[in-house]
Amino acid sequence: MTDTSNRKTRVALLFGGRSSEHAVSCVTAAGVMGAIDPEKYEVVPIGITRDGQWVLSQGDWHQWALNTGHQPRVEPSEATVRLAESDGAARLVVTEPNQVPRELGDVDVVFPLLHGAFGEDGTVQGLLELADVRYVGAGVLASAVGMDKHFMKVAFEAAGLAVGPYVTVTDKEWRRDPQAVRDAVGRLGYPVFVKPCRAGSSVGITRVDGPEGLDAAVAEARRHDLRLVIEAAIVGREIECGVLEGRGCDAPRTSLPGEIVVQGGTHTFYDFEAKYVENDAASLSCPADLPQEAIDRVRALAATAFDAVSAEGLSRVDFFYTPEGEFVINEINTMPGFTPISMYPAMWAATGIGYRELIDELIQLALARPTGLR
């Protein structure tokens, strides 16, 4: 581990990225930049453009705010930031045309605040593993499984968690025999939710109430991913639970569960606009109004889901609570929305860990974790 006894811990924040959740990642980074303890940490903000260029971010973090008329984005630059290993330490190097590369110094830990493909899916984690750099959050395998709604469900079923009915549709299957896909979806029964297999933040998701809407929903999801998961609608309340890795050999810690309530209007489910843009479209109730037995059970199930995919650092686990009192798991997010008002920090705040304290704990967990196989 890099010696940080005589200086602040240097944290590189990665945000933006190539996925459809670029703007959400920028907002998350703004939240962390505004809350991280400046007496303890030196922050190096590194934006990733939609084309994949790493750039050193300049200016006030307020520029990354998200509202109805503005979705922030990382702009390209002639100066590209690269992560290089030298003498056993990870260093940031800036390269510019016709200029000698200049070093920005050592990095103690990377906080990848990236959502979706090319960031939350194990790709960046693999890059950091190759460079022997410590980083916040799940590793390569857990990130990849947690991003892929099909393999996520396979892992959950193997761990004994209840998963709702679904079908997975590959690109070849849809192009070869779309009618066979329509027939398989019909056997699920409508309504269904058509989802990109590897996207988050409700991007590309459509609720379909009958066969006539299926093809358009498939086309929309395929704009984001050529592999799809189509799920039967589950009647139940949407319950979420935050998980935080235990220290050392301790078991995962779980937050009080929260409940998402969509206020209606133009929203039939918890879509992107309801999550991030319209302040009154949805609300979080935490702790959720559940019997104590159900609260204890969902917290235990969330920890099981965390371990099922070998997660590290943080995760948010989403369930449906049925009228029969059963919990059906929906998904795990290994890098959930992390703005100050996002569900994950809000649930931990209700449990007794504030936003700044949560950021600190995640960084400390990453610093304590060895590099390489573990």
Side-chain angles (χ1 to χ4, degrees):
M1 184 186 302
T2 303
D3 181 12
T4 60
S5 57
N6 295 319
R7 62 174 175 81
K8 298 178 184 179
T9 299
R10 210 147 191 254
V11 182
L13 296 184
L14 291 184
F15 63 97
R18 295 168 58 188
S19 84
S20 55
E21 299 169 81
H22 181 100
V24 176
S25 176
C26 292
V27 177
T28 296
V32 172
M33 282 187 261
I36 195 168
D37 186 350
E39 299 299 319
K40 193 172 184 178
Y41 300 109
E42 178 188 355
V43 173
V44 182
I46 300 174
I48 302 177
T49 69
R50 291 186 182 275
D51 292 330
Q53 183 192 18
W54 291 29
V55 301
L56 190 64
S57 176
Q58 305 289 342
D60 190 343
W61 57 265
H62 289 94
Q63 68 184 296
W64 309 115
L66 178 70
N67 54 57
T68 303
H70 170 67
Q71 289 200 8
R73 61 179 294 162
V74 177
E75 299 294 344
S77 169
E78 287 194 349
T80 296
V81 178
R82 303 188 187 279
L83 190 64
E85 185 183 8
S86 176
D87 300 325
R91 291 187 168 88
L92 293 171
V93 178
V94 179
T95 59
E96 299 179 68
N98 304 316
Q99 298 291 328
V100 176
R102 57 188 174 91
E103 287 194 358
L104 294 176
D106 295 356
V107 172
D108 297 304
V109 64
V110 173
F111 203 148
L113 298 167
L114 298 163
H115 303 298
F118 308 109
E120 191 182 347
D121 59 354
T123 49
V124 163
Q125 289 77 11
L127 172 67
L128 298 174
E129 292 280 356
L130 286 171
D132 279 334
V133 179
R134 289 173 173 82
Y135 57 92
V136 172
V140 176
L141 175 64
S143 297
V145 173
M147 193 72 229
D148 190 302
K149 293 178 174 63
H150 168 74
F151 288 105
M152 178 197 308
K153 292 176 188 294
V154 172
F156 290 158
E157 289 176 309
L161 296 164
V163 173
Y166 71 98
V167 295
T168 301
V169 182
T170 68
D171 175 51
K172 287 183 178 180
E173 287 170 336
W174 180 253
R175 289 190 292 116
R176 182 175 59 239
D177 194 349
Q179 188 55 49
V181 173
R182 297 183 192 110
D183 293 342
V185 174
R187 289 191 290 272
L188 289 177
Y190 288 92
V192 297
F193 286 90
V194 180
K195 302 179 178 182
C197 207
R198 294 159 293 187
S201 294
S202 300
V203 172
I205 297 178
T206 305
R207 174 188 165 112
V208 180
D209 293 312
E212 66 282 354
L214 181 62
D215 284 23
V218 167
E220 170 59 22
R222 281 169 58 84
R223 291 198 309 111
H224 304 279
D225 190 352
L226 294 180
R227 287 180 59 232
L228 313 179
V229 165
I230 302 177
E231 301 170 347
I234 303 295
V235 177
R237 296 158 59 186
E238 296 186 46
I239 305 296
E240 303 187 344
C241 189
V243 186
L244 183 62
E245 180 184 354
R247 291 208 169 198
C249 296
D250 292 346
R253 293 164 278 180
T254 56
S255 73
L256 289 170
E259 180 173 10
I260 302 299
V261 179
V262 178
Q263 308 297 344
T266 61
H267 304 281
T268 58
F269 68 100
Y270 195 38
D271 61 11
F272 182 91
E273 296 291 321
K275 279 184 179 181
Y276 299 109
V277 179
E278 298 181 22
N279 294 330
D280 57 353
S283 63
L284 170 70
S285 173
C286 188
D289 184 13
L290 296 169
Q292 187 60 48
E293 178 275 333
I295 290 175
D296 295 340
R297 183 154 43 100
V298 76
R299 294 178 77 168
L301 292 172
T304 297
F306 188 84
D307 286 338
V309 301
S310 298
E312 297 170 282
L314 73 164
S315 288
R316 194 194 70 237
V317 188
D318 303 344
F319 296 88
F320 296 108
Y321 183 57
T322 71
E324 295 75 30
E326 299 299 322
F327 284 102
V328 177
I329 192 165
N330 182 24
E331 64 180 5
I332 188 170
N333 282 273
T334 56
M335 183 50 71
F338 202 77
T339 71
I341 61 171
S342 293
M343 304 308 174
Y344 183 85
M347 288 187 290
W348 277 111
T351 310
I353 301 180
Y355 190 54
R356 175 175 285 193
E357 186 182 357
L358 190 59
I359 294 169
D360 179 68
E361 179 67 6
L362 289 169
I363 293 172
Q364 293 305 313
L365 285 169
L367 288 169
R369 188 184 306 150
T371 58
L373 296 176
R374 52 189 179 272

